[in-house]
Amino acid sequence: MTTDPRWIDAEGNEIDEDHRGLVYDIRTLVDRRRALGIFGGVGLTALLAACAADPEPTATASPSASASASATPTPTPSATAAASGPIDEVPDETGGPYPGDGSNGVNVLDDSGIVRSDIRSSFGSSTTVAQGVPLTIALTVRDAATGSALVGAGVYLWHCDRDGGYSLYSNGLENENYLRGVQETDANGTVTFTSIYPACYTGRWPHIHFEVYSDVATAVASGPIVKTSQIALPQETDAAVYATAGYEQSVRNLSQVSLSTDNVFSDDGGIHQIANMSGSASAGYAAALTIGV
């Protein structure tokens, strides 16, 4: 029987079966399973498709030695608009004392410029830019009953700055409106904001606030809110960020609180609200979370 040329080495000798690699092993398994008629090849076919057809290793370019500190990773949520079946509803949480939605004094939602994706700077009379480790936030909103994406919903998102202060409210920040913005969910039910990593201030686990509205028009009119909740940031990334310059006070504050003692997340440890993270403190992080409403 003629040997498959893929299993001949550079000197013309046949490669031993034990050294032909994963693809050969899987194909052999498939052939044997099919011969026995035990199961269809759906799962293994998918696995084969993920493997390279060429058993020889392919050289790839080496990554750069260091990432740019100004680069901001972009989350790539795998959400689709199709219904996926019921999902857990994200818990209702307090909007806190600094919502800026008109429920506690100032209302930023009816200001021109609030509908935006990059929320790092103030808009209007001030152009102050909030400093800190870059953070991209992708929030995907789905119908809890069906799992289908909520397309065209309005999402208002806000959080504190690197020092733990909130624009519009904190001392010295009354004339700032940074780290606040509204967006419309896309065809996958997702909104993406460009921001900075928030501080950990006394008594609270690091978090991000959001409100979901039926659409952007309802949001900017301070209309009925569909869901008010919070995103919890994981301890591992908190610690990495707070080890960088500018977040010194957050190190002490984080050591004095946990998800189990936080006055918002303590009831369930934030199980439905902890963001999935990627990136690094030097290049910036990306946070992604899918919620049911």
Side-chain angles (χ1 to χ4, degrees):
M1 181 175 63
T2 303
T3 301
D4 190 320
R6 290 175 297 175
W7 316 121
I8 300 297
D9 64 20
E11 298 178 356
N13 299 314
E14 182 178 356
I15 300 172
D16 186 86
E17 287 190 4
D18 293 337
H19 298 88
R20 294 184 182 181
L22 176 63
V23 173
Y24 178 82
D25 294 341
I26 294 174
R27 282 182 172 142
T28 301
L29 177 61
V30 170
D31 291 340
R32 289 172 180 170
R33 296 284 185 170
R34 283 175 177 165
L36 292 172
I38 295 176
F39 58 75
V42 177
L44 286 174
T45 300
L47 180 56
L48 278 171
C51 299
D54 187 347
E56 295 300 319
T58 302
T60 57
S62 299
S64 58
S66 62
S68 168
S70 61
T72 304
T74 302
T76 52
S78 58
T80 64
S84 58
I87 63 173
D88 290 327
E89 182 175 349
V90 69
D92 292 298
E93 307 290 10
T94 176
Y98 316 115
D101 61 2
S103 62
N104 185 24
V106 64
N107 184 6
V108 74
L109 292 178
D110 58 3
D111 289 355
S112 176
I114 190 62
V115 180
R116 58 190 183 141
S117 60
D118 190 334
I119 62 175
R120 291 173 295 180
S121 64
S122 289
F123 57 90
S125 60
S126 174
T127 57
T128 301
V129 178
Q131 300 300 306
V133 170
L135 177 66
T136 302
I137 307 159
L139 184 66
T140 299
V141 186
R142 307 185 78 86
D143 185 309
T146 65
S148 60
L150 292 187
V151 180
V155 175
Y156 170 41
L157 182 143
W158 74 97
H159 61 79
C160 71
D161 63 18
R162 183 171 63 181
D163 299 316
Y166 281 87
S167 65
L168 304 174
Y169 293 92
S170 297
N171 185 36
L173 301 181
E174 296 88 345
N175 296 320
E176 305 294 349
N177 51 28
Y178 56 49
L179 307 182
R180 299 177 184 274
V182 173
Q183 277 200 81
E184 180 181 74
T185 57
D186 63 15
N188 293 323
T190 302
V191 290
T192 303
F193 292 91
T194 300
S195 192
I196 58 99
Y197 209 97
C200 177
Y201 54 85
T202 303
R204 279 304 321 274
W205 187 261
H207 62 281
I208 297 167
H209 295 269
F210 65 87
E211 293 172 347
V212 178
Y213 295 79
S214 58
D215 51 41
V216 168
T218 302
V220 299
S222 298
I225 300 171
V226 175
K227 174 69 67 174
T228 300
S229 195
Q230 299 180 24
I231 301 170
L233 297 173
Q235 184 172 12
E236 183 178 1
T237 51
D238 294 338
V241 170
Y242 299 158
T244 66
Y247 288 95
E248 290 81 4
Q249 187 59 41
S250 290
V251 175
R252 178 175 179 273
N253 293 335
L254 185 64
S255 71
Q256 298 176 338
V257 68
S258 67
L259 282 167
S260 62
T261 61
D262 181 74
N263 61 16
V264 169
F265 303 123
S266 60
D267 55 345
D268 61 2
I271 188 172
H272 300 302
Q273 296 151 278
I274 300 176
N276 295 310
M277 306 296 295
S278 61
S280 67
S282 59
Y285 280 104
L289 180 67
T290 297
I291 62 164
V293 302

